[in-house]
Amino acid sequence: MKSKLAFLAGLTAGVLATLSAALIAGQLTGLIEFTANTPAKAAEVNSNFLAVKTAVDDNHARISTLETKLAKFGNNPSPSANGTGVAQCVVGEIRLFAGSVAGAMPAAGQLLPINQNQALFSLLGTKFGGNGMTNFALPNLSDVAPNGLTYTICTSGIFPSQI
């Protein structure tokens, strides 16, 4: 649950950053338009500057308030927190990537030995195949992955009970 909330908090913060310029533009009304090759009056320029500054300040206050509220959900590890350039995996977590990921393998239905993947086996069991004594299978998501991307399943990292 905490992982989902942290993801939603991060997603919301990312959307806010992307929409910041649009929010400011939506708050600007009554700007004076200037014509090329026509001298501008200082009062008109100052008026436009003040309108933009007010909109930016208002937007900054809204974002600060939202960041304070989002902080209650905690933080996801930053991409470089574990030195791999990728946020740490949660064992059994499925991610969509364009390439390979440390601590994860393609979810392509392959059999894995239980004795080398006990944490993952404790989560998946034989739901996707395997004999349950010496091996188990990963889900096969290769047919549903978008072109050029691969679904991977984390085989090492944070065990869900630690979250």
Side-chain angles (χ1 to χ4, degrees), residues 1-8 76-79 82 84 86-97 100-108 110 112 119-124 128 136 138-139 141 150-163:
M1 180 69 173
K2 181 178 176 184
S3 179
K4 286 183 182 179
L5 292 175
F7 169 76
L8 291 174
N76 261 345
S78 68
N82 62 3
T84 63
V86 178
Q88 179 132 9
C89 272
V90 174
V91 175
E93 176 183 8
I94 295 175
R95 295 178 174 186
L96 186 60
F97 279 97
S100 60
V101 180
M105 61 178 37
Q110 65 271 42
L112 297 179
L120 187 57
F121 175 70
S122 72
L123 297 171
L124 299 181
F128 303 104
F136 68 103
L138 295 181
L141 300 174
T150 303
Y151 279 107
T152 61
I153 187 165
C154 296
T155 56
S156 63
I158 301 169
F159 192 74
S161 66
Q162 297 172 348
I163 297 177

Side-chain angles (χ1 to χ4, degrees), residues 14-60:
V15 168
L16 278 177
T18 304
L19 295 177
S20 182
L23 290 171
I24 292 169
Q27 294 169 334
L28 294 175
T29 57
L31 289 180
I32 299 167
E33 291 188 30
F34 298 103
T35 308
N37 299 322
T38 303
K41 296 178 183 171
E44 294 172 334
V45 172
N46 288 341
S47 173
N48 278 4
F49 176 78
L50 183 59
V52 171
K53 182 185 180 317
T54 301
V56 168
D57 290 345
D58 289 349
N59 194 42
H60 178 70

Side-chain angles (χ1 to χ4, degrees), residues 106-152:
Q110 65 271 42
L111 290 175
L112 297 179
I114 293 173
N115 63 353
Q116 295 175 17
N117 300 281
Q118 292 178 0
L120 187 57
F121 175 70
S122 72
L123 297 171
L124 299 181
T126 58
K127 182 181 269 185
F128 303 104
N131 62 21
M133 297 174 116
T134 59
N135 62 37
F136 68 103
L138 295 181
N140 187 353
L141 300 174
S142 55
D143 291 341
V144 295
N147 289 341
L149 300 176
T150 303
Y151 279 107
T152 61

